[in-house]
Each structure stands twice: as C-alpha cells, then as structure tokens.
Amino acid sequence: MLTKKITFYEPFGLNLQLFETVLELAQLHLDKGHDVEFVTCNAILPVCEINPQKSITVCSRCISRRNHGISLLSKKVKIKSISSFSFLNKHKNNLPKTDFETVEELKNYKINDFNIGAGVYSSVLDQAKYHKIDINEYRDLTNEFLITSFFIYRNFINYLSRNNTSRVYLFNGRHSTGKPIIAACKKFNKEFYTYEFHFYYNKFILCKNTQPHDYIYMAKEANKLWTKGVVDKEKREAVAKSFFYRKSKKYQSLDFSKKQEDGLLPLNWDKKKHNIVFFTSSEFESYAAFDYKEKSVYENHFAGILRILIDLNHTKHNIHIYIRLHPNLSTVPKSLEEVHQYSNLKFNFLSVISPEDPVDSYSIMKNADKVMTYISSTSMESSFIGKPTILLSKNLVGFMNCCYLPQTHREVMNLILDDKLPPLDNTGALKYGYFWEKWGHAYKYYRNKSLQNGIFKGVKVDVSEFVENFLLRNYHRPKLKIVRFVFEKLFKKFCIFYTN
C-alpha cells in the first residue's frame, strides 16, 4: 500500500466539532497507513478569527485542547509550527500593503495570484457581523489580519517546497488564515480539501480543490448523486422527501425560528389578494465569500425589493407583498440597520414581518400565491409544495431548475404581475433534498450531542485541568490585572514584530 503524507493546517483547536472533524479525518488516514502531520500556529499569529483580541487565555486553551485531541489518535503524529518555516529571506518590499482607503480596494488586493484582500475582508466581516464595514473603524484589525495572512502564505509556501505532501486539509477557505493555504496549494498544484459543517450534526462536508461556497461545484455534486442510478426512482424520491418532512409527518420548514407559532398568519392576511411572500436572507451571507457571490438581477437584496415596490406603486394590481425578514437578523446587533431599512418602507400593499414576529413562515408560504427569495433554501421548500417560486439570484438552488430565474428587472415584474403563473416541476427540489440527505460523510469516531457538545473516541476533547485550573486561574488573579494587561499588549506587539 502506497504511503501518503497528509497535512492538516489546524490553528483552531477551540472550534468544537470542527476540530473533532480534523481528528476524525486524521484517524481515518492513519487507519489507511498514511503519515499525518499537523501545521499549527502555536500562538505566534498576531490575530486569528477565534482570537481577534490576541488573548493569551484563548491561545492557551486552544493549544491545550488541540494537544489533548491529537493525543487521542492511534499513532503519534508530527506537529509543526507555521513559524518554523520562516527561513527564506524577508524583504520589506514583499510585505503586504496596509494603507487601504476603501473596502473595494482591500477586497481586490492581490499578491501575485493570492487574493489576500478577499480573505482579510472576510475575517474582518466576521468580527463586524455586518456587510457594510467602515475601513477606518477596522483599520488596525485589518492590518493585523493582513500581516497574519501574508505570514501564513509565505511560510506555507516554504513548507510545501520542502515537504512531499500528497494532500492538505483546511477549514472553509474564505478567511485570512485559510485563503493563503489554498493559494499556496494552487501554486504547487497540491490537492486540497476544505471541510465544513453539514446540514446535519452527524455528518461533515468535504470539498475537493475548492470551497463550500462554490455553488457550481455543489450543483455538480448534486447532479452526480441524483443521476447515479444506484437507487430506484421511488426510493430516491422518498429519501428526498424526508429532507422536507423530517421530524414530523407534516411539512416542516428547515430553518425557521422555533419561536414562531404553528399556523399563525399575519392579521391582515386577505385571501382575496394575490399574496406574494419575499423571504430575505442576510446580506452578510452574500458578502462573506464574495468571490463566490451569486449572480443577481440587482446590486443587492434591498435594492432589488425596493425597485420592485416602486414599480408596483405605479402599476394597477391586486398584489400584497409580505417581506419575511430572516429570524437570524434578530441575533446580530449591527443587522438592525438591515432590519430598519425594510421596516421603513411605506407602501399600502406591503407588510414587513420582523425577525422575531411569531407569524409562522411555513404557513404564509403554504397560503401564498407566489414566493420570492434570493439564496434561501425556502425556494426549495416552496417549490416542493408546488408554489410558483421566483429566484432573484443564481446560486446552488438556481441550478435545480424548479424556480423561475429572471435575467432582467422587466422579467421579474412580468413574473410578479402574472396572477396565473404556474409552478414549475418540483423535481429539482427533490434533487436538492436528496443531495443534503446523501451528500457528506458520516462520522466514525466522533459522536455529537449538539453543535457544541460531543466526544471523540468516547472522550470529550477539552483543555487540561493543569492549564485551566492552575495556570489560567493564577494568571487571572485580580492582583495581576495590570501586569496581565501590560504583558498581553507586549506579547501582541512581539507577534506582530515577529511575523512582519
């Protein structure tokens, strides 16, 4: 059997289940007799996505938990720090630019073929929890992510140039700490896989030589599964329907808030009207991995619905539009601006349903004459139950061929104003459901009770008692507050100096 060398770039030991996914993959490769190696940060990075403030406490817990998890593997594996590959000359003119005036300038910034700005923007976006970031407000954090990302890129290139690695694994791929790994792998034509959460907690996703945000790749995978022909049509459709029916014998929404009351419709719901429900997604979702941003008729979600409403306001019709704001918008403070811009819309044929409103999203879908959305899986649910569904952008769900995909604003308006618009065949929705039921990998060694709670090989991977109850307890003694503050400031400065 050919022995392969498998590399895991794993700086996130504190990420519950994601780190256990790495352990799962590492053990599966060890079972095959492969050599496994971990490349980690060992607290030298000036900043990372789970530790934007560069807290020594977070670094200590991360390293301790990571070491505990790796110790559970069946064979001793090598652990190398990303900093140990800083052996090539560092020229100041090779350092990344850090004086951006606009967000667009940052997003488009590249070093050779490495789109460093895209990853940094994505990481800053995660901290802001809002898609309209102020470049000045986040300038220091942006610069720290730039330094970090370039350090990882340069050093991982050094690593690959000296190691005969067959495959590299990393998380997600859109962030400042993952993007450089992908760029380095592409430079050396190395096979890489990104891993992510699955729709279900007992499975995980692997994407070969791309990211989970690559909806064209995902659409191809969905088509492959659907056309395999291993399962007869009746069984395949039964599996697909279970995606929409799961946990109950009735139709059940997949993402809607548990606070909603079953069967509750808006008080002003009028069956005599041509009722159209628009399900929003957070704008944040479309910007976080903007290099895979969906193709849309409109500049952004709000601009699209506003233009539609303005045109309807100058047209004779019997339409009432209900905008169901995504429940998740209520959990992100800075998304309140997004909520307010919808709430401030004033048209006599419009009702805006707030994220926390108990109105049942599935009931308004079921009773609607049409459904509109951008990237939400609600498009698949509405198609599944036979509703004419209009998609205002093309992403994974847009490849299922069960929704109307207008190419222009005029086409959008024609579809909206057609009160006899028929639903399209729902085979695509079944394909989508089948895809999520069958795609992905079931865990062999990891068992999870929830997203934040699980065990690997029967053991809960955790921070050691020595680190948690001795080192950190003493480190956080009240009398050491000033000393701790100064020490952490100095340590962060050292990390920036070392990696710069």
Side-chain angles (χ1 to χ4, degrees):
M1 179 172 58
L2 181 65
T3 300
K4 293 183 178 180
K5 184 174 181 179
I6 310 297
T7 299
F8 292 89
Y9 179 69
E10 182 46 52
F12 303 142
L14 279 183
N15 273 11
L16 304 181
Q17 188 168 340
L18 285 178
F19 178 54
E20 278 80 351
T21 301
V22 173
L23 296 175
E24 174 84 17
L25 288 165
Q27 186 58 62
L28 291 174
H29 278 289
L30 289 173
D31 292 346
K32 295 176 182 178
H34 298 161
D35 291 332
V36 169
E37 189 164 270
F38 283 76
V39 176
T40 68
C41 72
N42 280 351
I44 199 61
L45 300 181
V47 65
C48 75
E49 287 75 21
I50 65 170
N51 193 8
Q53 304 303 322
K54 192 56 184 180
S55 162
I56 291 175
T57 298
V58 173
C59 284
S60 300
R61 286 174 174 152
C62 184
I63 293 171
S64 176
R65 188 172 186 273
R66 185 191 68 216
N67 290 342
H68 179 217
I70 291 176
S71 72
L72 298 173
L73 296 174
S74 63
K75 182 181 175 182
K76 189 173 182 180
V77 300
K78 292 181 180 178
I79 304 175
K80 295 183 178 179
S81 171
I82 189 72
S83 62
S84 65
F85 305 103
S86 302
F87 43 75
L88 294 185
N89 292 331
K90 302 179 191 177
H91 299 292
K92 288 296 179 183
N93 59 357
N94 286 335
L95 295 177
K97 176 181 176 180
T98 56
D99 55 342
F100 299 96
E101 295 301 321
T102 66
V103 169
E104 286 304 312
E105 189 183 355
L106 168 66
K107 288 165 65 175
N108 295 321
Y109 176 49
K110 292 185 178 181
I111 296 176
N112 300 323
D113 293 328
F114 170 34
N115 194 349
I116 185 172
V120 169
Y121 169 78
S122 187
S123 291
V124 175
L125 211 65
D126 276 4
Q127 303 307 316
K129 296 289 190 295
Y130 188 54
H131 64 286
K132 293 181 181 179
I133 62 170
D134 182 339
I135 193 71
N136 292 314
E137 181 182 354
Y138 292 95
R139 188 171 297 280
D140 289 344
L141 184 63
T142 298
N143 292 345
E144 289 163 8
F145 272 124
L146 281 162
I147 293 168
T148 296
S149 193
F150 182 69
F151 178 78
I152 295 170
Y153 175 63
R154 181 187 63 210
N155 285 13
F156 206 72
I157 283 177
N158 295 344
Y159 170 79
L160 291 178
S161 68
R162 301 299 197 276
N163 289 270
N164 189 26
T165 294
S166 301
R167 183 185 298 180
V168 176
Y169 286 95
L170 68 145
F171 166 62
N172 191 286
R174 73 173 170 87
H175 301 97
S176 65
T177 50
K179 211 76 167 173
I181 303 299
I182 291 178
C185 287
K186 288 181 176 180
K187 183 179 178 68
F188 285 90
N189 199 27
K190 292 288 185 182
E191 181 181 84
F192 69 89
Y193 281 78
T194 53
Y195 58 89
E196 243 303 359
F197 292 116
H198 191 275
F199 204 95
Y200 299 128
Y201 290 159
N202 62 344
K203 299 172 77 174
F204 61 94
I205 289 171
L206 284 179
C207 297
K208 184 179 181 179
N209 294 327
T210 190
Q211 301 170 218
H213 320 91
D214 186 349
Y215 56 83
I216 294 177
Y217 170 83
M218 301 277 273
K220 288 178 180 177
E221 292 293 300
N223 284 324
K224 270 193 233 173
L225 275 173
W226 187 251
T227 57
K228 264 186 175 179
V230 185
V231 181
D232 64 60
K233 182 180 177 183
E234 187 176 326
K235 289 182 179 178
R236 185 176 58 191
E237 291 188 359
V239 170
K241 289 176 182 178
S242 68
F243 177 76
F244 299 101
Y245 282 113
R246 80 183 191 283
K247 295 185 180 176
S248 75
K249 293 181 180 179
K250 66 174 185 176
Y251 293 112
Q252 181 173 325
S253 169
L254 306 177
D255 298 309
F256 299 151
S257 171
K258 293 179 181 179
K259 295 180 181 178
Q260 295 173 15
E261 296 179 18
D262 288 347
L264 183 63
L265 288 169
L267 292 175
N268 66 338
W269 190 271
D270 185 352
K271 291 183 179 179
K272 295 178 182 178
K273 295 287 185 182
H274 188 75
N275 294 302
I276 301 176
V277 182
F278 177 66
F279 291 97
T280 72
S281 300
S282 171
E283 296 271 12
F284 176 87
E285 295 178 50
S286 296
Y287 286 83
F290 72 90
D291 39 355
Y292 290 103
K293 192 177 187 298
E294 72 278 359
K295 296 176 182 178
S296 177
V297 180
Y298 304 103
E299 179 184 356
N300 56 56
H301 297 190
F302 182 74
I305 193 65
L306 180 60
R307 189 173 176 190
I308 290 168
L309 292 171
I310 289 172
D311 270 21
L312 283 176
N313 200 40
H314 294 94
T315 306
K316 187 177 180 180
H317 61 80
N318 187 41
I319 291 170
H320 196 92
I321 300 279
Y322 290 89
I323 299 178
R324 166 90 254 193
L325 297 178
H326 198 287
N328 284 345
L329 290 175
S330 65
T331 66
V332 182
K334 288 205 172 183
S335 290
L336 288 177
E337 183 180 327
E338 194 172 328
V339 174
H340 289 156
Q341 66 182 356
Y342 284 101
S343 301
N344 289 332
L345 294 171
K346 304 298 178 186
F347 297 89
N348 58 13
F349 54 87
L350 171 69
S351 298
V352 177
I353 304 170
S354 66
E356 63 277 1
D357 196 301
V359 163
D360 181 16
S361 292
Y362 179 74
S363 288
I364 57 175
M365 177 193 291
K366 186 178 178 182
N367 286 277
D369 294 291
K370 288 192 191 90
V371 169
M372 284 196 301
T373 185
Y374 271 92
I375 61 176
S376 174
S377 62
T378 52
S379 60
M380 296 295 97
E381 296 177 272
S382 60
S383 297
F384 174 66
I385 63 172
K387 294 294 174 181
T389 304
I390 304 168
L391 270 179
L392 301 182
S393 66
K394 189 168 186 179
N395 50 34
L396 172 60
V397 293
F399 283 88
M400 298 300 108
N401 300 319
C402 56
C403 301
Y404 288 93
L405 275 170
Q407 301 300 306
T408 66
H409 173 66
R410 178 44 50 197
E411 288 181 28
V412 172
M413 295 308 299
N414 288 340
L415 291 170
I416 289 173
L417 292 168
D418 184 355
D419 58 5
K420 297 188 184 304
L421 187 72
L424 297 180
D425 183 271
N426 75 348
T427 300
L430 294 172
K431 182 195 297 183
Y432 182 85
Y434 187 79
F435 171 65
W436 281 113
E437 288 293 321
K438 289 297 184 180
W439 195 57
H441 303 265
Y443 289 103
K444 179 180 179 180
Y445 294 101
Y446 177 66
R447 296 288 181 271
N448 63 334
K449 301 172 184 177
S450 69
L451 190 63
Q452 300 296 326
N453 187 16
I455 54 176
F456 176 72
K457 290 187 171 183
V459 179
K460 183 174 176 61
V461 181
D462 214 342
V463 180
S464 74
E465 288 191 13
F466 175 74
V467 170
E468 190 67 65
N469 297 325
F470 179 73
L471 291 182
L472 293 181
R473 179 177 290 180
N474 283 293
Y475 180 67
H476 282 275
R477 288 166 59 189
K479 291 182 179 180
L480 295 178
K481 183 178 180 179
I482 296 176
V483 175
R484 188 167 58 250
F485 176 80
V486 173
F487 181 68
E488 299 222 346
K489 289 287 185 183
L490 290 174
F491 181 63
K492 184 169 186 174
K493 287 183 178 180
F494 169 77
C495 291
I496 292 174
F497 172 79
Y498 183 86
T499 55
N500 210 325

